[in-house]
């Protein structure tokens, strides 16, 4: 029986939903809808090919004409690729695999809240919004957790634990919280519990927090970078990597699977970190002094040994 693209997309999402997180499923649906809107819902699935993606008038060309960024297009392609693999490897509906390349994009710097911007956010909330949101953003800013993570773990004594199967990279979280952060965490989870009647309470609460911070950013007229709820995580990482001076410690705290991801935070020059985080001055200056001392010792040793007979 000849199947349309829409028929197989419905089957694929039904098959895939048990193996992925709701947020990932949502992005899968969005990407596949973009594909079907472009090639047609009724197109026979056997007629699919790489040309539908990379061709002269393929999906990539179509999305670029709609002013989508190459980074955004790659996000769509990453969620289409598993569907094509499923058609060939699992269902064996298409005769050969459909392969395509992602667009080459340069590495982008993380967008973070500076200390000044964070203080402005806190002040704005105090003046205009329920202080509950201030406490939530304070929690993210001081833990570096991903937006959903305060709602998927368990507090055991002073330790907040998240199983590896519930985290993005499959790496468990073990974070010690002080009394203030524990209190805020329980308050956030209680707020989540008021949304249990929703289809996905965790996603619903994160959406509320995300929309609020974006409204605040617009109201404060921050320009030059796109700040979101996730930006608090980047702020935390920059502070921690400056304070500890240890890639591996921060990698474990952030739950990164490799040091390359963590090292991107070192791409911010020390002077920029000093400008945006004045409280880090002592750590940056101490490290600079240590580097100067090490350089002077090395230079002295070279001079000494060069004078030996």
């Amino acid at each position: 029986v000849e199947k349309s693209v829409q028929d197989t997309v419905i089957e694929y999402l039904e098959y895939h939903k048990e193996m992925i997180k709701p947020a990932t499923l949502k992005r899968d649906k969005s990407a596949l809808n973009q594909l079907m809107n472009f090639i047609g819902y009724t197109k026979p699935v056997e007629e699919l090919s790489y040309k539908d993606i990379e061709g002269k008038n393929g999906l990539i060309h179509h999305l670029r004409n709609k002013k989508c960024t190459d980074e955004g297009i790659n996000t769509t392609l990453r969620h289409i690729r598993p569907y094509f693999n499923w058609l060939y490897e699992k269902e064996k509906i298409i005769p050969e695999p459909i392969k395509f390349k992602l667009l080459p994009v340069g590495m982008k710097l993380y967008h973070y809240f500076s200390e000044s911007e964070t203080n402005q956010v806190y002040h704005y909330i105090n003046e205009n919004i329920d202080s509950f949101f201030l406490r939530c953003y304070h929690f993210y800013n001081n833990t570096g957790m991903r937006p959903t993570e305060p709602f998927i773990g368990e507090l055991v004594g002073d330790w907040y634990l998240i199983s590896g199967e519930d985290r993005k990279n499959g790496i468990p979280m073990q974070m010690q919280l002080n009394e203030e952060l524990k209190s805020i965490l329980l308050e956030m989870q209680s707020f989540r519990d008021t949304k249990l009647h929703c289809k996905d309470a965790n996603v619903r609460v994160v959406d509320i927090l995300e929309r609020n911070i974006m409204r605040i950013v617009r109201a404060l007229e921050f320009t030059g970078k796109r700040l979101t709820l996730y930006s608090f995580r980047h702020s935390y990482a920059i502070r921690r990597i400056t304070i500890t001076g240890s890639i591996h410690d921060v990698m474990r705290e952030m739950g990164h699977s490799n040091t390359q991801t963590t090292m991107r935070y070192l791409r911010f020059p020390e002077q920029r970190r000093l400008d945006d985080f004045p409280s880090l001055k002592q750590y940056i200056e101490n490290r600079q002094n240590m580097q100067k001392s090490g350089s002077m010792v090395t230079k002295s040793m070279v001079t000494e040994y060069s004078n030996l007979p």
Side-chain angles (χ1 to χ4, degrees):
V1 178
E2 187 177 79
K3 290 187 176 183
S4 69
V5 172
Q6 184 179 35
D7 293 333
T8 56
V9 164
I10 292 172
E11 292 176 14
Y12 167 73
L13 292 174
E14 186 64 27
Y15 156 80
H16 206 215
K17 73 179 183 181
E18 299 301 329
M19 295 178 283
I20 57 177
K21 297 174 182 178
T24 305
L25 181 64
K26 184 178 179 180
R27 289 192 288 269
D28 281 350
K29 289 179 179 178
S30 176
L32 292 170
N33 277 329
Q34 284 181 301
L35 175 67
M36 291 188 291
N37 286 332
F38 172 67
I39 64 175
Y41 289 76
T42 59
K43 178 171 181 166
V45 72
E46 292 88 350
E47 295 180 10
L48 284 173
S49 78
Y50 74 93
K51 293 180 181 179
D52 290 310
I53 304 296
E54 293 181 332
K56 184 177 179 181
N57 295 307
L59 180 63
I60 292 174
H61 178 76
H62 169 71
L63 293 176
R64 276 180 165 167
N65 283 342
K66 292 181 68 176
K67 308 301 181 185
C68 294
T69 64
D70 286 358
E71 193 173 49
I73 293 171
N74 279 346
T75 299
T76 295
L77 298 182
R78 287 190 189 96
H79 289 274
I80 291 175
R81 180 178 280 164
Y83 162 67
F84 283 167
N85 292 341
W86 175 81
L87 288 174
Y88 174 72
E89 296 173 1
K90 292 288 186 181
E91 294 299 301
K92 307 193 183 305
I93 296 174
I94 54 178
E96 58 184 27
I98 301 173
K99 297 182 179 181
F100 54 83
K101 295 180 179 179
L102 299 180
L103 297 172
V105 293
M107 182 181 291
K108 293 190 176 182
L109 294 174
Y110 296 124
H111 295 167
Y112 59 83
F113 286 98
S114 68
E115 285 182 3
S116 172
E117 289 165 341
T118 301
N119 290 334
Q120 290 180 65
V121 167
Y122 288 178
H123 179 74
Y124 183 89
I125 295 174
N126 274 328
E127 295 292 324
N128 301 280
I129 305 176
D130 190 326
S131 61
F132 166 72
F133 292 101
L134 187 155
R135 294 190 289 278
C136 292
Y137 301 140
H138 178 73
F139 182 87
Y140 284 116
N141 194 46
N142 285 275
T143 61
M145 290 190 194
R146 297 183 178 93
T148 58
E149 289 181 342
F151 309 105
I152 59 176
E154 179 184 9
L155 186 62
V156 180
D158 293 338
W159 291 87
Y160 186 60
L161 311 176
I162 303 179
S163 170
E165 63 188 22
D166 294 323
R167 296 196 81 200
K168 181 179 179 181
N169 293 333
I171 300 173
M173 169 182 276
Q174 302 176 77
M175 179 172 285
Q176 190 173 24
L177 303 179
N178 60 31
E179 293 301 318
E180 179 193 33
L181 294 177
K182 284 195 295 182
S183 175
I184 297 173
L185 174 69
L186 295 174
E187 186 179 9
M188 292 172 71
Q189 292 182 346
S190 294
F191 179 69
R192 183 273 315 277
D193 292 343
T194 66
K195 308 295 180 184
L196 291 178
H197 60 280
C198 300
K199 186 174 182 180
D200 191 322
N202 291 344
V203 173
R204 172 61 177 154
V205 171
V206 169
D207 186 57
I208 292 171
L209 294 171
E210 184 71 80
R211 289 175 183 273
N212 267 286
I213 194 61
M214 294 181 76
R215 279 195 289 267
I216 294 168
V217 166
R218 285 195 296 270
L220 293 172
E221 298 181 344
F222 294 154
T223 58
K225 53 185 176 180
R226 184 174 181 271
L227 295 170
T228 65
L229 187 59
Y230 211 94
S231 299
F232 287 115
R233 176 173 169 84
H234 298 320
S235 300
Y236 174 85
I238 290 172
R239 296 197 309 272
R240 291 297 297 156
I241 207 163
T242 305
I243 291 170
T244 65
S246 170
I247 289 287
H248 290 91
D249 286 350
V250 178
M251 181 186 76
R252 284 193 296 270
E253 289 182 29
M254 303 299 290
H256 294 155
S257 56
N258 60 71
T259 57
Q260 293 301 314
T261 304
T262 315
M263 286 182 68
R264 289 176 66 180
Y265 292 105
L266 288 175
R267 294 184 181 274
F268 296 98
E270 287 187 335
Q271 186 57 52
R272 184 179 176 188
R273 282 182 269 165
L274 189 57
D275 291 344
D276 286 344
F277 300 93
S279 64
L280 299 178
K281 181 177 180 180
Q282 60 173 318
Y283 301 101
I284 293 174
E285 290 183 345
N286 287 345
R287 192 159 293 115
Q288 289 174 340
N289 291 334
M290 289 175 64
Q291 290 172 347
K292 288 179 181 178
S293 298
S295 177
M296 291 175 63
V297 169
T298 302
K299 186 176 180 179
S300 173
M301 290 174 65
V302 169
T303 303
E304 180 181 347
Y305 281 102
S306 66
N307 292 329
L308 288 176

